[in-house]
Amino acid sequence: MIAALSTKEDQLREPEYTCPICAAELTFFSRYPNYVCDSCVAKATDESGRALKFFNTGMHGGFKSVFADTNEEREGHICFIEGVKCYADEARMGGIVVELHA
């Protein structure tokens, strides 16, 4: 039996990662280990199936959730994508990140 030797290059290589909803290949980010791809985020709904959109509230971040059909603001961060419970929030360096809800 030959043991595989770990090189420094292997240790620095990003692990393979796929969207937990649709299995699309993505880049792994240790800060967001369960993040969902943009295509799936576009399918986000509330618990009753009403489509949602997410935004930063300003140039320096913040989080806002609105109903896609009326742009009416919605409270909360929980959403559902293809029946999977997720959590949407502002990302550390701006933008929005949606991850599987623990």
Side-chain angles (χ1 to χ4, degrees):
M1 176 188 287
I2 299 175
L5 297 176
S6 177
T7 66
K8 188 168 187 157
E9 181 181 322
D10 289 334
Q11 293 170 0
L12 296 175
R13 186 177 304 144
E14 295 293 337
E16 292 181 20
Y17 182 73
T18 59
C19 174
I21 307 250
C22 73
E25 291 185 21
L26 300 169
T27 301
F28 178 78
F29 295 105
S30 59
R31 181 175 294 279
Y32 308 111
N34 295 304
Y35 82 99
V36 176
C37 74
D38 291 339
S39 294
C40 286
V41 171
K43 300 175 189 177
T45 67
D46 70 357
E47 52 281 337
S48 66
R50 199 167 165 197
L52 298 172
K53 295 189 293 187
F54 309 109
F55 302 97
N56 288 122
T57 57
M59 288 185 66
H60 300 290
F63 175 82
K64 183 177 181 179
S65 175
V66 300
F67 292 105
D69 57 350
T70 63
N71 286 327
E72 170 191 358
E73 193 163 345
R74 176 183 180 265
E75 293 294 320
H77 294 255
I78 299 296
C79 63
F80 294 85
I81 302 170
E82 309 244 341
V84 178
K85 190 174 186 180
C86 297
Y87 188 86
D89 204 1
E90 65 179 306
R92 181 171 183 257
M93 300 300 282
I96 299 296
V97 65
V98 177
E99 294 188 90
L100 295 185
H101 190 267

PDB file of all heavy atoms in Angstrom, residues 1 10 12 17 24 27 31 36 40 54 67 69 83:
ATOM      1  N   MET A   1       0.839  -1.168   0.000  1.00  0.00           N
ATOM      2  CA  MET A   1       0.000   0.000   0.000  1.00  0.00           C
ATOM      3  C   MET A   1       0.889   1.239   0.000  1.00  0.00           C
ATOM      4  O   MET A   1       1.840   1.331   0.751  1.00  0.00           O
ATOM      5  CB  MET A   1      -0.901  -0.011   1.240  1.00  0.00           C
ATOM      6  CG  MET A   1      -1.728   1.246   1.343  1.00  0.00           C
ATOM      7  SD  MET A   1      -2.630   1.397   2.882  1.00  0.00           S
ATOM      8  CE  MET A   1      -3.885   0.192   2.667  1.00  0.00           C
ATOM      9  N   ASP A  10      -1.235  20.906  -1.936  1.00  0.00           N
ATOM     10  CA  ASP A  10      -2.496  20.207  -1.673  1.00  0.00           C
ATOM     11  C   ASP A  10      -3.229  20.830  -0.496  1.00  0.00           C
ATOM     12  O   ASP A  10      -4.452  20.925  -0.486  1.00  0.00           O
ATOM     13  CB  ASP A  10      -2.255  18.727  -1.386  1.00  0.00           C
ATOM     14  CG  ASP A  10      -1.846  17.956  -2.626  1.00  0.00           C
ATOM     15  OD1 ASP A  10      -2.208  18.398  -3.738  1.00  0.00           O
ATOM     16  OD2 ASP A  10      -1.167  16.930  -2.473  1.00  0.00           O
ATOM     17  N   LEU A  12      -3.186  23.918   0.448  1.00  0.00           N
ATOM     18  CA  LEU A  12      -3.688  25.247   0.111  1.00  0.00           C
ATOM     19  C   LEU A  12      -4.818  25.215  -0.901  1.00  0.00           C
ATOM     20  O   LEU A  12      -5.542  26.186  -1.055  1.00  0.00           O
ATOM     21  CB  LEU A  12      -2.548  26.118  -0.429  1.00  0.00           C
ATOM     22  CG  LEU A  12      -1.427  26.419   0.562  1.00  0.00           C
ATOM     23  CD1 LEU A  12      -0.311  27.181  -0.137  1.00  0.00           C
ATOM     24  CD2 LEU A  12      -1.945  27.188   1.754  1.00  0.00           C
ATOM     25  N   TYR A  17     -16.561  22.170  -4.213  1.00  0.00           N
ATOM     26  CA  TYR A  17     -17.814  22.600  -3.597  1.00  0.00           C
ATOM     27  C   TYR A  17     -18.893  22.698  -4.659  1.00  0.00           C
ATOM     28  O   TYR A  17     -18.623  23.137  -5.779  1.00  0.00           O
ATOM     29  CB  TYR A  17     -17.640  23.961  -2.911  1.00  0.00           C
ATOM     30  CG  TYR A  17     -18.894  24.430  -2.225  1.00  0.00           C
ATOM     31  CD1 TYR A  17     -19.323  23.833  -1.046  1.00  0.00           C
ATOM     32  CD2 TYR A  17     -19.666  25.447  -2.766  1.00  0.00           C
ATOM     33  CE1 TYR A  17     -20.490  24.244  -0.414  1.00  0.00           C
ATOM     34  CE2 TYR A  17     -20.828  25.869  -2.144  1.00  0.00           C
ATOM     35  CZ  TYR A  17     -21.229  25.264  -0.970  1.00  0.00           C
ATOM     36  OH  TYR A  17     -22.383  25.674  -0.346  1.00  0.00           O
ATOM     37  N   ALA A  24     -24.620  22.800  -8.698  1.00  0.00           N
ATOM     38  CA  ALA A  24     -23.752  23.552  -9.613  1.00  0.00           C
ATOM     39  C   ALA A  24     -22.373  23.707  -8.972  1.00  0.00           C
ATOM     40  O   ALA A  24     -22.263  23.905  -7.761  1.00  0.00           O
ATOM     41  CB  ALA A  24     -24.351  24.930  -9.893  1.00  0.00           C
ATOM     42  N   THR A  27     -17.046  27.981  -6.231  1.00  0.00           N
ATOM     43  CA  THR A  27     -15.818  28.155  -5.471  1.00  0.00           C
ATOM     44  C   THR A  27     -16.142  28.012  -3.991  1.00  0.00           C
ATOM     45  O   THR A  27     -17.131  28.572  -3.518  1.00  0.00           O
ATOM     46  CB  THR A  27     -15.224  29.554  -5.738  1.00  0.00           C
ATOM     47  OG1 THR A  27     -14.978  29.683  -7.133  1.00  0.00           O
ATOM     48  CG2 THR A  27     -13.932  29.758  -4.973  1.00  0.00           C
ATOM     49  N   ARG A  31     -15.803  30.981   4.893  1.00  0.00           N
ATOM     50  CA  ARG A  31     -16.703  31.854   5.659  1.00  0.00           C
ATOM     51  C   ARG A  31     -18.174  31.476   5.420  1.00  0.00           C
ATOM     52  O   ARG A  31     -19.018  31.674   6.275  1.00  0.00           O
ATOM     53  CB  ARG A  31     -16.473  33.318   5.263  1.00  0.00           C
ATOM     54  CG  ARG A  31     -17.352  34.291   6.036  1.00  0.00           C
ATOM     55  CD  ARG A  31     -17.029  35.732   5.730  1.00  0.00           C
ATOM     56  NE  ARG A  31     -15.720  36.135   6.162  1.00  0.00           N
ATOM     57  CZ  ARG A  31     -15.399  36.490   7.405  1.00  0.00           C
ATOM     58  NH1 ARG A  31     -16.293  36.458   8.342  1.00  0.00           N
ATOM     59  NH2 ARG A  31     -14.173  36.878   7.695  1.00  0.00           N
ATOM     60  N   VAL A  36     -25.514  29.115  -1.285  1.00  0.00           N
ATOM     61  CA  VAL A  36     -26.333  28.692  -2.414  1.00  0.00           C
ATOM     62  C   VAL A  36     -25.953  29.537  -3.637  1.00  0.00           C
ATOM     63  O   VAL A  36     -25.662  30.724  -3.516  1.00  0.00           O
ATOM     64  CB  VAL A  36     -27.828  28.885  -2.047  1.00  0.00           C
ATOM     65  CG1 VAL A  36     -28.734  28.573  -3.198  1.00  0.00           C
ATOM     66  CG2 VAL A  36     -28.174  28.037  -0.835  1.00  0.00           C
ATOM     67  N   CYS A  40     -30.041  29.625  -7.804  1.00  0.00           N
ATOM     68  CA  CYS A  40     -30.986  29.152  -6.784  1.00  0.00           C
ATOM     69  C   CYS A  40     -31.522  30.304  -5.947  1.00  0.00           C
ATOM     70  O   CYS A  40     -32.705  30.327  -5.606  1.00  0.00           O
ATOM     71  CB  CYS A  40     -30.328  28.087  -5.911  1.00  0.00           C
ATOM     72  SG  CYS A  40     -30.161  26.494  -6.749  1.00  0.00           S
ATOM     73  N   PHE A  54     -33.467  40.099  -2.446  1.00  0.00           N
ATOM     74  CA  PHE A  54     -32.657  40.571  -1.329  1.00  0.00           C
ATOM     75  C   PHE A  54     -31.720  41.670  -1.806  1.00  0.00           C
ATOM     76  O   PHE A  54     -31.191  41.606  -2.916  1.00  0.00           O
ATOM     77  CB  PHE A  54     -31.844  39.419  -0.743  1.00  0.00           C
ATOM     78  CG  PHE A  54     -32.678  38.207  -0.432  1.00  0.00           C
ATOM     79  CD1 PHE A  54     -32.571  37.058  -1.199  1.00  0.00           C
ATOM     80  CD2 PHE A  54     -33.580  38.225   0.609  1.00  0.00           C
ATOM     81  CE1 PHE A  54     -33.328  35.939  -0.923  1.00  0.00           C
ATOM     82  CE2 PHE A  54     -34.358  37.110   0.898  1.00  0.00           C
ATOM     83  CZ  PHE A  54     -34.231  35.969   0.132  1.00  0.00           C
ATOM     84  N   PHE A  67     -40.767  41.477  -1.267  1.00  0.00           N
ATOM     85  CA  PHE A  67     -41.548  40.591  -2.130  1.00  0.00           C
ATOM     86  C   PHE A  67     -41.301  41.030  -3.569  1.00  0.00           C
ATOM     87  O   PHE A  67     -41.392  42.213  -3.903  1.00  0.00           O
ATOM     88  CB  PHE A  67     -43.029  40.663  -1.780  1.00  0.00           C
ATOM     89  CG  PHE A  67     -43.332  40.081  -0.428  1.00  0.00           C
ATOM     90  CD1 PHE A  67     -43.600  40.897   0.653  1.00  0.00           C
ATOM     91  CD2 PHE A  67     -43.329  38.704  -0.242  1.00  0.00           C
ATOM     92  CE1 PHE A  67     -43.872  40.357   1.901  1.00  0.00           C
ATOM     93  CE2 PHE A  67     -43.604  38.154   1.003  1.00  0.00           C
ATOM     94  CZ  PHE A  67     -43.874  38.987   2.085  1.00  0.00           C
ATOM     95  N   ASP A  69     -42.993  40.710  -6.301  1.00  0.00           N
ATOM     96  CA  ASP A  69     -44.103  41.226  -7.101  1.00  0.00           C
ATOM     97  C   ASP A  69     -44.517  42.651  -6.741  1.00  0.00           C
ATOM     98  O   ASP A  69     -45.029  43.378  -7.586  1.00  0.00           O
ATOM     99  CB  ASP A  69     -45.310  40.283  -7.029  1.00  0.00           C
ATOM    100  CG  ASP A  69     -45.797  40.034  -5.607  1.00  0.00           C
ATOM    101  OD1 ASP A  69     -45.117  40.419  -4.633  1.00  0.00           O
ATOM    102  OD2 ASP A  69     -46.886  39.420  -5.468  1.00  0.00           O
ATOM    103  N   GLY A  83     -38.070  24.192  -1.608  1.00  0.00           N
ATOM    104  CA  GLY A  83     -38.514  23.530  -0.389  1.00  0.00           C
ATOM    105  C   GLY A  83     -37.464  23.417   0.702  1.00  0.00           C
ATOM    106  O   GLY A  83     -37.738  22.907   1.778  1.00  0.00           O
TER     107      GLY A  83
END
